[in-house]
Amino acid sequence: MQLIKHQDSPRYIKLNEVDNVAVVVNSGGVAKGAQFDGDLVATEDIPQCHKIALQTLAEGEAVIRYGQTIGYAREPLPQGSWVKESQLHMPAAPELASLPKADKTPADLPPLEGYTFEGYRNADGTVGTRNILGITTTVQCVAGVLEHAIKRIKDDLLPKYPNVDDVVGLTHSYGCGVAINAADAYIPIRTVQNIARNPNFGGQALVIGLGCEKLQPEQIINTEHYHLGEEQTWLYKLQQSDLGFTDMIAQILALAESRLAQLNQRQRETCPVSDLVLGMQCGGSDAFSGITANPGLGFASDLLVRAGATVMFSEVTEVRDAVYMLTSRAKNSEVADAIVREMDWYDRYLHKGEADRSANTTPGNKAGGLSNIVEKSLGSIVKSGSSAISAVLGPGEKASTKGLVFCATPASDFVCGTLQLAAGMNLHVFTTGRGTPYGLAMAPVVKVSTRTDLAQRWPDLIDVDAGKIATGACSLEEFGWELFHYYLDVASGRKQTWAEQHRLHNDLTLFNPAPIT
Amino acid sequence: MQLIKHQDSPRYIKLNEVDNVAVVVNSGGVAKGAQFDGDLVATEDIPQCHKIALQTLAEGEAVIRYGQTIGYAREPLPQGSWVKESQLHMPAAPELASLPKADKTPADLPPLEGYTFEGYRNADGTVGTRNILGITTTVQCVAGVLEHAIKRIKDDLLPKYPNVDDVVGLTHSYGCGVAINAADAYIPIRTVQNIARNPNFGGQALVIGLGCEKLQPEQIINTEHYHLGEEQTWLYKLQQSDLGFTDMIAQILALAESRLAQLNQRQRETCPVSDLVLGMQCGGSDAFSGITANPGLGFASDLLVRAGATVMFSEVTEVRDAVYMLTSRAKNSEVADAIVREMDWYDRYLHKGEADRSANTTPGNKAGGLSNIVEKSLGSIVKSGSSAISAVLGPGEKASTKGLVFCATPASDFVCGTLQLAAGMNLHVFTTGRGTPYGLAMAPVVKVSTRTDLAQRWPDLIDVDAGKIATGACSLEEFGWELFHYYLDVASGRKQTWAEQHRLHNDLTLFNPAPIT
Ligand SMILES: [Ca+2]
Ligand SMILES: [Ca+2]
Ligand SMILES: [Ca+2]
Ligand SMILES: [Ca+2]
Ligand SMILES: [Ca+2]
């Protein structure tokens, strides 16, 4: 990476030797006539994060970033000019039928030993980073009553159980008025099922249903996964009430109190890093995402994988265009085939809805200098570091392996986060360039900014600033280690993220590709 | 309707002269050997709401309820036996290509004059029944910050503006991570747009966005519909903040306070019933829905239509099998064609998702005696009374006509309610047999039980009991008038529904048939 020392002089970042465009990093962009190191001169004003042509490109010539083709010039692009979305033809998506498979599987990195965190060990072997009463719901019908009950639980009961961090209603819009036997209905159903088993809930099943809904409690709670007593100890259906609303609240409070008493006995103990299940994603990306925050996550991901942890990356529409790099890195051809299977499923899902991969990029991405989904993908997958990909999860599936895992989810921040919770995530990291107050109630979310000015503008929302990689204030390696230690502090409860401190929570958002009725 | 006087003697309800099955109405059902009026004897135990064969039916013979075929006997059904779902073949869905159109358009009912309610008249001519600050959101990203801001607004500001009833965040899961140019994306977009214009929000646009999302504020707020000043008076994007979370909250509070000051000036005034926009739906139906609550709503619907109001019924999958009755009743062939258009769209939507109309009925419906969607539909459409159908709305469209309107929505309670809010509903009525605590924050919801025992069991959730129609305690006409007056009381704020008193609110749930990314 080529960095220039003077904070105020025009400077760009070129990531790969063969790149013929680079990204302007100066806070206010550069003005026409700006002179970079070497003999490059900007031929027009270029905003921060946007691309400058390092050499003159002929019409039809490949525009190269990250060492990969991100488009073809629609017109001649003079050296020093601002390279814009409108000037590029997007390359075709890689053909799924002819991808390389496990041909460049990385060798195992050397084990990393001696790092631990303080967590709550559960009966099923998983480890929580927080001690939360999660109340599962079968259907949106019960949301209003549960919201009331939770307010009462927080006010009247929670103070009596100081070891419990929070009480969270796992409300969602599924459960009834849905085609529950449709081909794709298994996705929302197993998501609800597996969220209930998230390690942060301590294996305490507690389900509130209505009674007449399509999604029945036994579809959500597989009793083999829990140490459960009689049904009435873990399930309450509002239609059982013979006395109405006041009675419903009292019944829910009684069940919640028995759960709080059990959760209150949990104690943190020293756990190996291999008990971490980290979910990584990005939202509100800009052209810095791929040069600061996401490579920083990638470095820390390699550290976690070396220490035996489970590390998930996701967002199908943001890896689709770079999928050949992932299938190459798969542990074996079965894993590569599973990556292809998920891409193919999503291609068909988008096609059915008369949309395609170009639907991913947002106005914010474009304002942030990302020309198209190809460029965005290349910057997105660097989160995954350099380890072999050891497993693939379908949407809503629960992780059962260590190492680097591709968890196939939509890129939508809430949907991805919800599915990573179902996969068993006990720690979440989220990189952002444009800025978002994203948070989840069920797991701590570490927010990493791609630029220092965002971290400075939002000091009470951004937890870690990766922008200092671009200014040269620290190296990628230094940043990666800093983030690794930050993860352990947050997982251990020694640090609370800003989203936790403000209790900033987005809604659970299920992925339901099946019809509603 | 055939009613038997003694509360404890075995009794059934037969709705149409030609019916060959009837519904048992005794609270605990009837035992084997029970002797009904006439010479009918139950040949087995039959639960309440379930069907008894009034005569012996041969294999293949049509089973008739509401004067319509609800199925064909799979096996001989002896007189007095319990007629179950498993014993019926479901009839094919009516062919859309050959429906009768406007061939039985009812004559206009005589005008009903002299009834009024007290409402809040808006600049655009609509009338609110409540005075609510509704804060529109472009994207789920802002939900956590807005939830915080709303708590602060309620605690710190609302007490200073006593004429304002509530502050409601119009949060949803749309806005980003969606295929915004997909063929069907117009549905969630216009829904968000039209909910902002609901009459209960007094025409006060206030939008919280993030800044980089796909759904941009100008797609939601058509400035022609509002009396708006500079953009910064009605729109705040979190990414505008140069100071982070604390600043965001302060900015939202300042905007909200200027809105509260304006809303606080609204005064109720006497309005004709023609300013009501009633949304009707049912949820958790049973076999009583079609003989008590829904016919009661139908009678009151006719009264409202006679008084010039807008009355909407909905739930495509619950009218699909009785659609020939609706196309016949259309005001003209254009309206009949629009009904067919909506049915056809939904048939194709379900087909794409590999589901069909049989996906509608729930375990609760079946336990409640409804054998299939044909029987459920016949009981559902009686809500619409006997007026001509004067208009059809696509999902998320805003009503612009008076009279009886078919508002094409899914049957899902939350999705239907959300789309009826977008259609401009200022009063909601919801019938239930199995029981649900359903409520919305944006409009009062009147809950009507189909059975008296539900009303008695849930005295603090059920507003009006239609079960007394079945016991003979009141006639359909008496009940319909009672409900009509109840509507006017609630619309005028003289009565608060139970859902309002407990602040029992379900989430807005958008209908998004397009893919997410
Ligand atoms: Ca992303
Ligand atoms: Ca994302
Ligand atoms: Ca219904
Ligand atoms: Ca419904
Ligand atoms: Ca909520």
Side-chain angles (χ1 to χ4, degrees), chain A residues 69-125:
Chain A
T69 300
I70 63 165
Y72 298 96
R74 279 180 190 271
E75 57 194 81
L77 302 172
Q79 187 182 46
S81 68
W82 177 11
V83 179
K84 304 183 200 76
E85 178 190 4
S86 62
Q87 295 169 316
L88 304 185
H89 280 295
M90 187 159 73
E95 278 292 339
L96 294 181
S98 53
L99 291 173
K101 289 184 183 165
D103 60 324
K104 292 178 191 159
T105 308
D108 282 352
L109 298 168
L112 180 65
E113 278 159 8
Y115 293 94
T116 59
F117 72 104
E118 301 298 307
Y120 298 98
R121 187 165 298 282
N122 298 315
D124 67 357

Side-chain angles (χ1 to χ4, degrees), chain A residues 140 148 214 239 241-246 317 346 349 359-360 411 434-435 457-458 460 502 506-507 516-517, chain B residues 140 148 214 239 241-246 317 346 349 359-360 411 434-435 457-458 460 502 506-507 515-517:
Chain A
Q140 168 61 217
H148 253 264
K214 280 191 189 149
Q239 288 175 350
S241 174
D242 281 329
L243 297 163
F245 174 73
T246 313
T317 54
Y346 219 97
Y349 164 71
N360 176 293
R434 313 288 302 169
R457 282 168 58 225
W458 290 12
D460 55 1
H502 302 309
N506 288 99
D507 295 333
I516 65 168
T517 60
Chain B
Q140 168 62 215
H148 253 264
K214 280 191 189 149
Q239 287 174 350
S241 173
D242 281 330
L243 297 164
F245 173 74
T246 314
T317 53
Y346 219 96
Y349 164 71
N360 176 292
R434 312 288 303 168
R457 281 169 58 225
W458 290 13
D460 56 1
H502 302 309
N506 287 99
D507 294 334
I516 66 169
T517 60

Side-chain angles (χ1 to χ4, degrees), chain A residues 120 130-134 158-167 259-266 503:
Chain A
Y120 298 98
R130 295 293 180 270
N131 189 16
I132 297 171
L133 172 57
L158 200 54
K160 298 197 283 178
Y161 302 97
N163 290 341
V164 183
D165 292 317
D166 207 354
V167 182
R259 285 304 174 283
L260 288 171
Q262 287 182 274
L263 289 171
N264 199 49
Q265 292 169 24
R266 288 173 99 199
R503 296 188 172 273

Side-chain angles (χ1 to χ4, degrees), chain B residues 281-284 315 318 410-414 416 430:
Chain B
Q281 69 156 318
C282 53
E315 305 184 278
E318 290 180 17
S412 160
D413 298 349
F414 327 102
C416 174
F430 189 100

